[in-house]
Each structure stands twice: as structure tokens, then as C-alpha cells.
Amino acid sequence: MALPAEVRRFFGYALFLAQAGDQHDAAKVLKGFGSAGVLEVVENDRSGTYRAVYTVKFKEAVYVLHCFQKKSTKGITTSKEDIAIIRARLKVAEALAKDLRNEKTSH
């Protein structure tokens, strides 16, 4: 909610498309995650550059892994701290998706 309203709307639309099985034109595979289905959307605002990282790896849900304002002054590189957060949250998403799968098969 701390992101500018226009950025939130842009990210919301990209995530809506992902939930519908489509992909926003601005969505790109985040490097360093192999074929994990981790995508990022970048949006610029007068207050800065923002990124939303999500995964479509699991059929149960689209998981938003991280939304943040890019603070690096070195090109388009995502900071090591942000990558660590994304990796940790991807593991949590994997566990949540597994739990959802198990719930569906037990009913």
C-alpha cells in the first residue's frame, strides 16, 4: 500500500492478467531463478522505479513475492538483499501451494 496509486494499479492489472493465465507485455522473467516461473514487472513514477515480483509456477495461485522501490544506482541489477527476500518467499509459496494441493486431494 506504500506504493504510489498509479504504480499499484499497474501492478494490479499485471497480476490480474497472470491470474487469468495471460502475461502483461511488461512482465519479464527474473534472472537467476531458472525455470521457476518468477516474473517481474517494472513501473516508473516521478518518485522512482518500482518492481513487483511474482510467481506463476503453481497452478493453485499466483504468489506475489516482493514489491519494492528500486534503490540501486547500478543499472537494472536487483540487490542481493531483494533477491534473498524473493528466494525465501518463493520457498514459502511452494509450501503454501503444496498445502493447498493436499487440502484439495483430502476432500
Side-chain angles (χ1 to χ4, degrees):
M1 294 306 293
L3 303 178
E6 286 299 315
V7 173
R8 286 195 323 263
R9 277 192 279 282
F10 181 81
F11 290 165
Y13 181 64
L15 292 168
F16 166 76
L17 290 175
Q19 289 173 323
D22 204 355
Q23 183 174 313
H24 193 284
D25 291 341
K28 303 210 180 326
V29 174
L30 184 61
K31 293 179 183 173
F33 288 87
S35 62
V38 176
L39 303 167
E40 80 171 331
V41 181
V42 179
E43 178 68 344
N44 293 313
D45 180 75
R46 60 187 146 93
S47 61
T49 299
Y50 298 86
R51 292 179 177 198
V53 179
Y54 61 96
T55 185
V56 293
K57 177 180 180 180
F58 313 106
K59 65 180 179 179
E60 290 77 18
V62 172
Y63 291 95
V64 178
L65 304 174
H66 196 24
C67 289
F68 57 100
Q69 184 175 9
K70 183 183 177 317
K71 295 184 178 162
S72 171
T73 58
K74 298 179 181 177
I76 60 170
T77 304
T78 305
S79 75
K80 290 180 183 178
E81 294 84 10
D82 288 317
I83 293 293
I85 289 169
I86 294 164
R87 286 192 191 286
R89 291 180 180 168
L90 182 59
K91 287 182 183 180
V92 171
E94 191 164 11
L96 290 170
K98 184 177 179 184
D99 287 347
L100 282 172
R101 240 177 272 132
N102 290 339
E103 280 182 24
K104 286 182 182 179
T105 59
S106 67
H107 288 127

